[in-house]
Amino acid sequence: MNTQELKHRYSTALAWGALCGLRSMSGPVLADHRPRRFARGPLQRQLARPAVARTLQALAVAELIADKLPFVPARIQLPSLIARATSGAVTALAAPPRRRWRRARLIDELAPALVAALAAVASAGAAYSLRRALTRRLRLPTFVGGLLEDALLFAAAARLRG
């Protein structure tokens, strides 16, 4: 893998991980997964299965709704952070390579996943603090803060997908 490919791989993993910190299901649902017949890696093939894709989409919609409810626990609690880190890692592992898929060394696959997991945890904390500060300073309802966060998420995902 040359330097340009490494840079792309890690920057993509970092970006998708950060989005998974905003909404844990955003990465697996919004990432550019190929149709099953074009999926090259085993994880890509599993995520491209219709039943899996529909389940992930339903979970993502439920998360978008639940995020705005006042009784939902904060995203910075441990179970939520674990889910976000896992989601970021899975998204990085399943990201389609720029070139034809080939067997890679284990470290070439796991290192970007670790970067994505760490980015998800970091962005969860940052987004939580930013949302709290904005809603307090501007006196916005948390529902509006959540909608602004969703808008940021979808704009960033559209940019990442190209």
Side-chain angles (χ1 to χ4, degrees):
M1 209 178 289
N2 66 32
T3 306
Q4 193 67 14
E5 289 172 343
L6 277 174
K7 180 181 173 185
H8 178 266
R9 181 81 188 241
Y10 282 95
S11 63
T12 301
L14 184 69
W16 280 113
L19 290 183
C20 288
L22 293 176
R23 300 285 180 270
S24 62
M25 298 309 300
S26 62
V29 171
L30 297 174
D32 185 21
H33 299 301
R34 300 165 189 243
R36 191 156 198 241
R37 67 181 181 273
F38 297 117
R40 294 192 172 131
L43 186 56
Q44 284 180 355
R45 284 193 293 277
Q46 290 304 312
L47 290 174
R49 293 177 63 191
V52 173
R54 281 192 303 274
T55 302
L56 290 174
Q57 290 166 354
L59 289 171
V61 169
E63 182 182 23
L64 286 173
I65 294 166
D67 173 67
K68 283 112 188 133
L69 300 175
F71 56 84
V72 174
R75 74 182 87 194
I76 57 172
Q77 292 184 351
L78 188 59
S80 180
L81 289 177
I82 291 170
R84 290 166 197 281
T86 302
S87 179
V90 166
T91 302
L93 284 170
R98 293 175 91 177
R99 290 189 174 183
R100 190 173 183 277
W101 188 82
R102 61 174 176 74
R103 283 201 188 266
R105 294 181 316 168
L106 186 60
I107 191 70
D108 292 339
E109 296 297 321
L110 294 183
L114 179 61
V115 166
L118 293 173
V121 170
S123 81
Y128 176 78
S129 298
L130 180 62
R131 182 169 164 185
R132 281 188 68 200
L134 278 176
T135 54
R136 286 183 179 170
R137 180 164 294 218
L138 300 176
R139 299 174 203 247
L140 296 172
T142 57
F143 179 79
V144 174
L147 290 176
L148 291 172
E149 201 172 22
D150 292 344
L152 173 67
L153 169 78
F154 289 118
R159 175 103 174 141
L160 272 173
R161 288 185 67 159

